Amino acid sequence: MLETLPTTTKERHFDARTMRGRGVKATDDIWESFERWQLWWLLGLNDIRQRYRRSRLGQTWITLSLLATIAAIGITYSTLFRMNIKEYLPFLTVNLIVWGLIAGLLNDSCMAFIQADGYMRQERIPKAVFILRIIVRNCLIFAHNAVLIPVAMLILGGSISWTLLLAIPGLAWLLLNGALAGLFLGVICARFRDLPQIVNNIVQIAFFISPVMWKRGQLLEQHQGLVDFNPFAAHLIIISDPILGRMPTLGNYLMCLATTLLLAAVALPFFARYRERIVYWL
Amino acid sequence: MPSIELIDVSVDFPIYTAQTRSIRADLLRRIGGRIQEQQDDRRFVVNALRNINLTLQAGDRLGLIGPNGAGKSTLLRVLSGVYEPPQGTIRIEGRVSSLLDVTLGIDPELNGYDNIILRGVLLGMTVDEAREKTPGIAEFSELGDFLNLPVRTYSSGMMLRLAFAICTAIRPDIVLLDEVVGVGDAEFAEKATARMRQFASDASIVVLASHDTNSLRNFCDKGVLLRGGRIVEMGPIADVLDHYGHTASP
């Protein structure tokens, strides 16, 4: 598994090889990362710009490709499910955009340090910066895509409800959990290079077993657990339901809370323990 | 006042893809660190640095000398904080500016001006600070209108000029240079050396790894000779260079 190299302790202000010492360094790392927000902002912004450099349509491709996906799935599945397309399209649009954020956060975090090896081996940069960069990058993509939501609502005659306000804390909560998951995934994927692909596959499967394209009402009573105990579904619902004019259930919020607690309990000590080793794995 | 103190520092690199099991430790080998086979027979570790003890004070100009693979770049990276050593104690006071690889941290698609901002922020400046420093950096680099072109159009010498100018725009307490000055032309080398001298006399610490004995002799006052990850000689630069010259070929 993950190796521990032999250590010798020397007296100093604090012993960086105890968990406490490592915890201090990890906390400093995260703190310093927030202080250096301009760095991850610039890096995230640059990630988007770079993708579309020398292309005619530039960043609008993000929105255009989503539009194509919505049209294809929307027309096909509203026919298959025999649903009113005016009702299905806004539902699908919102879900696909939010799912894009969830999937993006998870998949990109796997590569967060691997991709940044050039920077990490040249300067001392607090490691959490690279996770926050992933957050920025995905939020920018989300923002590009979110313009389609009011468009879809308007064209298809949906209405805005006060519940929309709940989407904001929902979004913030997703980003928090995304950052915690990112700390764990980024580190462990730098060490075990099979994991990014495995995470990709898990996210793909999660797409199908979560109510992104289908409504939970379509499930039989005995299968409701697929949504109730599905953390991906919970994070999706706390953002998309408010936008669509519904209140998420308490169960959804509790699932997100449980995720936060579990992630914090696993990811933070893990990050503290292996933070200094990341650069040796690159 | 900047200072550097390394006590008994060792750095090992784990190798995860070594296919062969039969790498034998070759004690007569000149090049590289020691390759060590681990207990469970499936991993190898390169001992890049062994028991490094080093103390530097403000104003020191240290030259790192040694054959390829001796550990010079690794030591520089330990000094810059990139590699946190699993063994030993390290105390560094002062702001570090490292120029270890000219092209790293520079985005080839961005133009010179944008790269100044990006590189500056990577070094720890704020965007405003980087903007403020831009005219000074542009002047020092002498790149003129090329700064409006994407950096991928630059020669390696031009990139060095830009990178060096950015890294030394804020007077750092500790400057680390890894064999980069060879790429610049003679005139730039003079400018760069002059700037480094100025830093050193303003009490910065400068550490330079190089194979160019002339510039080492010219600029550094102290020297450290590394072999196989260990310091085999430390002292005034002229003495260390002579020792290296005499013991170079087996």
Side-chain angles (χ1 to χ4, degrees):
Chain A
M1 244 295 272
L2 296 153
E3 87 290 5
T4 46
L5 292 173
T7 62
T8 51
T9 50
K10 303 280 178 189
E11 84 291 335
R12 63 181 89 180
H13 305 295
F14 63 85
D15 187 340
R17 260 160 323 265
T18 58
M19 260 326 267
R20 187 167 161 267
R22 288 197 171 106
V24 171
K25 284 195 139 183
T27 316
D28 287 345
D29 186 298
I30 294 175
W31 199 249
E32 203 193 330
S33 297
F34 278 106
E35 282 181 351
R36 294 186 65 175
W37 64 271
Q38 289 189 333
L39 177 57
W40 38 270
W41 173 254
L42 261 185
L43 287 174
L45 197 61
N46 212 33
D47 284 341
I48 307 292
R49 287 209 190 120
Q50 204 160 26
R51 231 182 261 196
Y52 299 99
R53 202 142 273 150
R54 298 202 262 179
S55 90
R56 297 235 81 172
L57 293 165
Q59 282 103 320
T60 51
W61 269 116
I62 302 175
T63 320
L64 285 176
S65 59
L66 178 68
L67 204 53
T69 312
I70 292 174
I73 300 182
I75 296 170
T76 316
Y77 280 75
S78 65
T79 318
L80 267 176
F81 293 153
R82 272 168 260 183
M83 276 199 259
N84 182 354
I85 200 170
K86 275 200 168 190
E87 198 202 314
Y88 186 63
L89 272 188
F91 166 79
L92 182 68
T93 305
V94 174
N95 281 348
L96 280 179
I97 294 172
V98 178
W99 185 262
L101 180 58
I102 296 175
L105 287 174
L106 290 172
N107 287 325
D108 285 357
S109 319
C110 292
M111 300 301 289
F113 297 119
I114 298 172
Q115 215 186 11
D117 84 315
Y119 297 124
M120 289 180 72
R121 288 192 295 147
Q122 162 88 327
E123 303 291 344
R124 186 196 70 82
I125 297 175
K127 313 293 183 279
V129 162
F130 299 106
I131 304 298
L132 291 164
R133 166 209 199 167
I134 303 293
I135 308 270
V136 168
R137 183 203 295 175
N138 282 285
C139 280
L140 287 172
I141 295 176
F142 178 76
H144 273 102
N145 289 337
V147 295
L148 284 180
I149 298 175
V151 169
M153 302 284 233
L154 268 169
I155 293 181
L156 303 157
S159 57
I160 303 180
S161 136
W162 66 269
T163 56
L164 186 61
L165 291 172
L166 282 177
I168 299 170
L171 188 59
W173 206 338
L174 172 64
L175 294 180
L176 170 65
N177 285 350
L180 289 172
L183 279 178
F184 177 75
L185 288 173
V187 176
I188 202 167
C189 289
R191 174 63 182 85
F192 297 108
R193 300 300 176 97
D194 289 323
L195 284 179
Q197 186 56 52
I198 294 174
V199 170
N200 258 314
N201 289 339
I202 293 175
V203 170
Q204 270 183 317
I205 294 171
F207 176 75
F208 289 108
I209 64 172
S210 304
V212 184
M213 292 192 300
W214 46 267
K215 297 194 180 197
R216 70 179 301 166
Q218 291 172 270
L219 282 177
L220 295 174
E221 189 60 45
Q222 62 260 42
H223 296 143
Q224 287 292 318
L226 195 60
V227 175
D228 291 332
F229 300 113
N230 179 346
F232 295 97
H235 288 90
L236 173 70
I237 291 169
I238 64 169
I239 303 173
S240 57
D241 268 16
I243 298 176
L244 293 166
R246 287 193 293 273
M247 274 281 289
T249 67
L250 182 62
N252 297 137
Y253 285 112
L254 286 178
M255 178 58 83
C256 290
L257 181 62
T259 310
T260 308
L261 294 173
L262 179 67
L263 285 175
V266 170
L268 294 174
F270 190 78
F271 178 67
R273 171 65 182 85
Y274 293 107
R275 182 198 54 87
E276 72 206 29
R277 300 296 304 161
I278 301 170
V279 73
Y280 289 96
W281 298 334
L282 296 174
Chain B
M1 292 298 262
S3 68
I4 291 176
E5 196 180 348
L6 270 62
I7 303 173
D8 203 30
V9 165
S10 298
V11 168
D12 296 316
F13 288 104
I15 311 296
Y16 297 107
T17 53
Q19 308 283 26
T20 164
R21 288 169 156 232
S22 58
I23 298 177
R24 286 173 303 149
D26 184 353
L27 295 167
L28 296 176
R29 193 170 21 89
R30 266 184 66 235
I31 306 294
R34 214 174 112 234
I35 301 174
Q36 190 180 52
E37 194 165 336
Q38 292 297 88
Q39 292 289 63
D40 64 17
D41 239 14
R42 303 233 332 248
R43 285 184 298 119
F44 290 93
V45 158
V46 173
N47 305 137
L49 289 176
R50 298 262 92 190
N51 310 111
I52 302 292
N53 288 285
L54 184 65
T55 307
L56 295 172
Q57 316 283 13
D60 281 346
R61 288 167 280 144
L62 179 69
L64 289 185
I65 309 156
N68 297 127
K72 305 186 292 298
S73 299
T74 307
L75 180 54
L76 284 172
R77 287 185 164 86
V78 169
L79 292 174
S80 76
V82 167
Y83 290 129
E84 293 172 46
Q87 278 169 277
T89 310
I90 170 169
R91 285 192 200 106
I92 297 186
E93 294 218 18
R95 188 173 180 168
V96 178
S97 185
S98 48
L99 193 52
L100 304 182
D101 181 323
V102 175
T103 55
L104 287 179
I106 282 192
D107 181 345
E109 286 295 333
L110 292 177
N111 67 26
Y113 288 115
D114 290 338
N115 268 301
I116 290 175
I117 307 292
L118 179 61
R119 197 77 180 72
V121 174
L122 275 166
L123 275 173
M125 300 185 208
T126 65
V127 172
D128 287 333
E129 264 185 291
R131 286 221 177 93
E132 244 180 276
K133 303 267 173 215
T134 300
I137 292 170
E139 205 196 307
F140 189 86
S141 70
E142 296 173 330
L143 287 171
D145 281 328
F146 261 97
L147 288 170
N148 287 311
L149 294 182
V151 165
R152 62 184 161 78
T153 62
Y154 293 6
S155 72
S156 45
M158 291 163 80
M159 280 222 248
L160 168 66
R161 282 172 171 261
L162 183 60
F164 186 87
I166 301 170
C167 285
T168 55
I170 292 186
R171 188 182 77 76
D173 297 319
I174 299 170
V175 188
L176 308 173
L177 299 165
D178 193 354
E179 316 239 28
V180 288
V181 285
V183 180
D185 56 35
E187 189 210 316
F188 184 75
E190 252 185 70
K191 253 174 86 159
T193 311
R195 191 174 251 200
M196 297 281 86
R197 269 193 207 283
Q198 185 58 42
F199 286 169
S201 66
D202 288 341
S204 293
I205 298 176
V206 182
V207 182
L208 166 67
S210 181
H211 289 300
D212 178 6
T213 44
N214 281 329
S215 52
L216 286 168
R217 230 179 261 273
N218 208 3
F219 177 73
C220 301
D221 56 1
K222 294 187 179 166
V224 155
L225 174 59
L226 285 168
R227 259 211 189 103
R230 291 183 187 275
I231 295 182
V232 297
E233 176 94 11
M234 184 153 56
I237 187 72
D239 297 345
V240 179
L241 278 171
D242 290 335
H243 183 126
Y244 183 42
H246 290 142
T247 58
S249 33

